[in-house]
Amino acid sequence: MSKILNLYWALFHFWMRFPEKIRYLLVGGYNTVISYALYALFLWKWGHPQWALFWSFFISSINSYWTQKIYVFNTRGHVLREYTRCLFSWGISYLMNVALLEGFLWLHLNEYFAQFVALILVTINSYLMLKYIAFQNHKRRMV
């Protein structure tokens, strides 16, 4: 077990040498894939884009919080306070996503493609809000 932990910490220290924006792109890309896969699954199952969007945001927010906290911003902040700020940031992003999705659907784009385009814009907004709102006041770990 200690070999596995040693390997994890060695990889973690290597990972943390990458610039924050690169880590966000990789972790954010992973989180976006999870969120989009959930959206596609729920859209296929229920056939309603806004319900699919709501549930994919809801479920992926928990995974996203922990991956952003640990692997991107690497903070020691209070979990409940940070998660609340993340939810606020994601709430703004969610409303932005709702508006973009509706706008793209109004333009008669395919539901899957419309969400794909919206996710690109929402991801940029999410990075800025997480960096400057959710994780801004917390001490960074030194690794």
Side-chain angles (χ1 to χ4, degrees):
M1 185 64 153
S2 69
K3 287 183 180 183
I4 294 171
L5 287 175
N6 289 338
L7 177 61
Y8 171 80
W9 284 114
L11 290 171
F12 182 78
H13 287 285
F14 174 74
W15 171 259
M16 294 310 291
R17 288 189 216 155
F18 289 100
E20 181 182 273
K21 289 178 183 168
I22 299 298
R23 293 192 316 259
Y24 180 80
L25 285 173
L26 295 172
V27 171
Y30 160 78
N31 288 330
T32 300
V33 166
I34 297 298
S35 180
Y36 186 80
L38 289 169
Y39 170 80
L41 174 70
F42 295 146
L43 181 61
W44 172 76
K45 182 175 177 150
W46 297 321
H48 192 280
Q50 292 301 347
W51 275 113
L53 178 63
F54 172 80
W55 286 107
S56 68
F57 248 83
F58 177 77
I59 293 170
S60 64
S61 73
I62 296 166
N63 176 66
S64 187
Y65 168 73
W66 286 106
T67 57
Q68 300 294 340
K69 176 180 178 56
I70 296 168
Y71 299 111
V72 176
F73 299 105
N74 195 356
T75 63
R76 294 185 290 171
H78 187 271
V79 171
L80 185 57
R81 191 174 311 130
E82 281 181 341
Y83 188 64
T84 302
R85 289 180 180 181
C86 283
L87 288 176
F88 171 78
S89 299
W90 290 324
I92 299 297
S93 294
Y94 175 77
L95 293 174
M96 179 183 175
N97 201 153
V98 167
L100 287 168
L101 182 58
E102 281 301 311
F104 293 147
L105 293 175
W106 183 78
L107 294 172
H108 303 289
L109 292 180
N110 172 280
E111 292 97 344
Y112 296 96
F113 182 70
Q115 178 59 10
F116 177 78
V117 174
L119 270 178
I120 294 169
L121 300 171
V122 169
T123 299
I124 294 166
N125 178 67
S126 291
Y127 170 75
L128 296 172
M129 294 196 69
L130 289 174
K131 181 172 178 65
Y132 295 110
I133 295 174
F135 296 109
Q136 78 166 358
N137 294 324
H138 304 294
K139 294 179 182 177
R140 306 272 182 204
R141 291 183 181 156
M142 300 304 280
V143 284

